[in-house]
Amino acid sequence: MEAEGLTNEQTDKVLQFQDLTGIEDMNICRDVLIRHQWDLEVAFQEQMNIREGRPTMLTASSDVRAPAVINDHFLQQIFSANMPGSRSVSRVPSIGPMPRSFTGIIGYVINFVFQYFYSTLSGIVRALVNIGGGNEPRLVTNPLDDVLKFIREYQERYPEHPVFYQGTYAQALNDAKQELRFLLVYLHQDPSSNPDVDSFCRQTLSTRSVIEYINAHTLLWGCDVSTPEGYRVMQSLTVRGYPLMVVIMLRANRMSIVGRLEGDCTSEELLRRLQSVIAFNEVWLSQARNDRLQRNFTQTLRRQQDEAYEQSLLADEEKERQRERERDAARKVLEAEERARRDVELRKEEIARLKIDLANLVPDEPPVDATNAIAVVFKLPNGVRLERRFMQTNSIQDVYHFLFCHPESPDEFEITTNFPKRVLYSKTVVDAAEGAANEIVSKTLKDVGLKNREVLFVNDLEA
């Protein structure tokens, strides 16, 4: 077997198929599996159908069109009824032994010539009758019924025989072409009036060696020429006498007749003739199998390349989508940072404006000798110490405005005492108090118990 182009899995399936079917030629096993996309179960079922004589799923329709068959005598091995090994010769009336007298010799020659011309003329007349068939048209209405009827009647008369293909002639031709097998066409004529046909069916085709060889190496299709289907096939094959077997195969991409076996013969002679035709023409099927394998390998390779290209495109597209997602994420980060920066700037601008507005609310510093004036020391988070005089009647909010408007003070802060620690003002607390905020900020320094030279701590709430 040409294992080139097969994977290990495909090779295993070929071996399994060979074990299941018993087909010796591994090329045939490979071709059947290729046609069924390497589905072992489907291929095995099809092979069982073939062995039972049923057409394959490839040509399941009885309306399938038959490929043209080339009937070129130069391409054919022809075995006639008068060749050695034929039994038909024994049925020609004997002209007796060669006489020894001169007169007897003359009579013998005249009788021989007469018998020869009589036999030849009878053969020509039979051929013309077969070809013309009375020129009566025969309409083929149901070719499958004609074939099945022939198989039933043949089975009843001759129980031992090779497996006949249970399909039309067109189906058999198409299956042989698809499977790259030899098609053996047998045309049957009423055996009760044709002793050669009866002898051929009863003695030759019933031999076990013939049955096994035909089943293993060919598709056997047969039909009775008295039926429309058989008559139509007989017309296309140019029959000169019965029994007739014709070997058809795919040769140079055309279905061609490569062997013609005419007349009755012994089983040994039939085997010799079939083996001669098959051995001589097997090279054409081998070439067709190799061509098909090469085409299949090329198609598989092209399909794999296409799949790899598609996968590469998908990978590139996925990479591009990933890059686009990364760009979107980076853009969103930049936009968020920009929004945060703008928010900070806007907040700073808002605080700057607010400090300008609140500066007008900061009370004037009382003189040193003012009654009820106290000095307060503020310690800022950056270590700066501020000292400022306030009136005891000034509110906590006045102190907040002073600190808030000072350039060294943080934007968000709270004011606390050191010990015991008390929160005098916290913007967070004030904002959370809502309605009660005015009560907190309106307390005076006297109300909160501040004394002269008391130190207050300013804590940065954003630190």
Side-chain angles (χ1 to χ4, degrees):
M1 182 187 68
E2 294 292 334
E4 182 181 0
L6 297 185
T7 64
N8 292 334
E9 182 181 0
Q10 291 170 343
T11 302
D12 291 339
K13 286 188 177 181
V14 171
L15 296 175
Q16 293 179 40
F17 186 78
Q18 185 184 38
D19 292 338
L20 291 171
T21 61
I23 298 176
E24 296 181 357
D25 192 336
M26 297 184 71
N27 290 319
I28 295 178
C29 299
R30 175 200 60 207
D31 292 340
V32 174
L33 287 168
I34 288 174
R35 286 198 312 276
H36 296 287
Q37 289 75 47
W38 296 96
D39 191 323
L40 183 61
E41 182 178 353
V42 174
F44 174 73
Q45 184 60 49
E46 180 211 35
Q47 191 64 27
M48 293 302 97
N49 292 343
I50 293 175
R51 289 187 177 183
E52 295 174 9
R54 293 195 293 268
T56 71
M57 62 186 69
L58 297 173
T59 56
S61 173
S62 59
D63 299 329
V64 66
R65 185 174 181 178
V69 177
I70 306 300
N71 190 3
D72 188 346
H73 286 269
F74 289 102
L75 302 177
Q76 303 174 19
Q77 288 179 268
I78 300 177
F79 301 90
S80 66
N82 296 322
M83 295 179 65
S86 299
R87 280 195 290 258
S88 302
V89 178
S90 63
R91 298 190 180 90
V92 178
S94 175
I95 59 176
M98 176 70 74
R100 298 184 180 277
S101 63
F102 179 77
T103 304
I105 292 175
I106 295 298
Y108 180 87
V109 172
I110 293 174
N111 188 34
F112 178 81
V113 172
F114 173 77
Q115 290 288 351
Y116 176 77
F117 279 104
Y118 176 80
S119 177
T120 303
L121 182 61
S122 299
I124 294 174
V125 170
R126 285 196 304 269
L128 291 176
V129 170
N130 289 334
I131 295 174
N135 292 326
E136 72 278 13
R138 299 193 183 186
L139 180 63
V140 182
T141 56
N142 197 329
L144 182 58
D145 285 349
D146 294 343
V147 175
L148 297 179
K149 176 184 176 184
F150 158 74
I151 295 175
R152 287 194 303 270
E153 293 177 351
Y154 192 100
Q155 174 72 22
E156 292 173 358
R157 194 177 186 101
Y158 311 106
E160 296 293 328
H161 59 82
V163 175
F164 283 104
Y165 184 94
Q166 296 183 24
T168 66
Y169 177 63
Q171 288 177 318
L173 280 173
N174 277 284
D175 269 2
K177 181 178 181 180
Q178 292 291 336
E179 298 173 16
L180 297 177
R181 299 184 66 185
F182 290 97
L183 175 63
L184 184 59
V185 176
Y186 167 66
L187 291 180
H188 189 72
Q189 195 179 48
D190 184 11
S192 60
S193 60
N194 193 327
D196 284 346
V197 173
D198 182 70
S199 172
F200 183 75
C201 296
R202 191 176 302 280
Q203 300 182 38
T204 302
L205 281 185
S206 63
T207 305
R208 177 50 52 184
S209 59
V210 172
I211 293 174
E212 292 177 353
Y213 186 83
I214 290 177
N215 287 345
H217 294 85
T218 71
L219 291 177
L220 175 61
W221 182 89
C223 196
D224 196 318
V225 295
S226 63
T227 63
E229 172 75 345
Y231 179 80
R232 181 176 65 176
V233 177
M234 179 267 290
Q235 291 285 73
S236 67
L237 298 181
T238 315
V239 181
R240 293 180 295 183
Y242 299 94
L244 173 72
M245 301 190 91
V246 173
V247 181
I248 302 174
M249 61 168 289
L250 184 66
R251 175 169 174 163
N253 295 321
R254 300 184 302 175
M255 295 300 287
S256 304
I257 299 176
V258 295
R260 183 182 293 269
L261 292 68
E262 301 173 348
D264 186 20
C265 64
T266 64
S267 59
E268 293 80 5
E269 178 62 19
L270 177 62
L271 277 176
R272 188 191 67 80
R273 294 175 179 181
L274 287 175
Q275 290 169 351
S276 174
V277 173
I278 290 177
F280 183 78
N281 293 281
E282 180 65 31
V283 63
W284 295 96
L285 287 185
S286 297
Q287 179 180 347
R289 293 188 187 105
N290 290 334
D291 292 344
R292 180 175 292 179
L293 178 62
Q294 183 61 38
R295 288 196 301 271
N296 180 265
F297 177 74
T298 302
Q299 292 172 357
T300 301
L301 180 61
R302 184 178 297 113
R303 184 171 61 252
Q304 292 174 346
Q305 291 174 341
D306 291 343
E307 291 175 354
Y309 179 70
E310 290 293 333
Q311 292 175 357
S312 177
L313 287 180
L314 292 175
D316 291 342
E317 291 174 358
E318 179 60 28
K319 290 179 181 178
E320 182 60 29
R321 286 193 293 269
Q322 180 62 27
R323 286 194 291 267
E324 184 63 27
R325 288 193 291 268
E326 292 174 355
R327 287 193 292 267
D328 289 342
R331 184 170 56 253
K332 290 179 180 178
V333 170
L334 292 176
E335 291 174 352
E337 292 176 350
E338 180 64 20
R339 284 195 300 271
R341 185 186 62 79
R342 286 199 303 268
D343 291 343
V344 170
E345 292 179 353
L346 290 174
R347 182 170 176 273
K348 288 182 177 181
E349 293 175 359
E350 179 65 23
I351 290 175
R353 287 195 298 271
L354 185 59
K355 286 185 176 184
I356 294 173
D357 295 338
L358 294 181
N360 298 324
L361 300 180
V362 177
D364 295 333
E365 184 176 11
V368 176
D369 55 352
T371 306
N372 297 327
I374 60 174
V376 181
V377 178
F378 300 97
K379 189 174 182 180
L380 302 182
N382 58 4
V384 175
R385 294 173 65 90
L386 299 179
E387 185 174 345
R388 176 62 153 79
R389 290 186 299 279
F390 291 93
M391 297 298 295
Q392 287 185 326
T393 55
N394 289 141
S395 66
I396 293 296
Q397 191 166 28
D398 293 334
V399 175
Y400 169 77
H401 289 163
F402 164 72
L403 291 173
F404 180 75
C405 296
H406 195 281
E408 296 292 338
S409 179
D411 296 332
E412 295 282 344
F413 58 88
E414 66 179 5
I415 307 171
T416 65
T417 61
N418 186 19
F419 184 83
K421 184 175 181 179
R422 291 183 300 149
V423 178
L424 301 181
Y425 180 93
S426 174
K427 187 161 188 317
T428 304
V429 175
V430 172
D431 292 341
E434 296 182 352
N438 188 53
E439 182 180 349
I440 297 174
V441 300
S442 61
K443 290 181 178 181
T444 65
L445 301 184
K446 184 178 180 179
D447 294 336
V448 297
L450 285 183
K451 299 177 181 179
N452 189 38
R453 306 295 298 176
E454 186 161 357
V455 179
L456 298 180
F457 292 87
V458 178
N459 301 319
D460 190 352
L461 296 179
E462 296 179 331

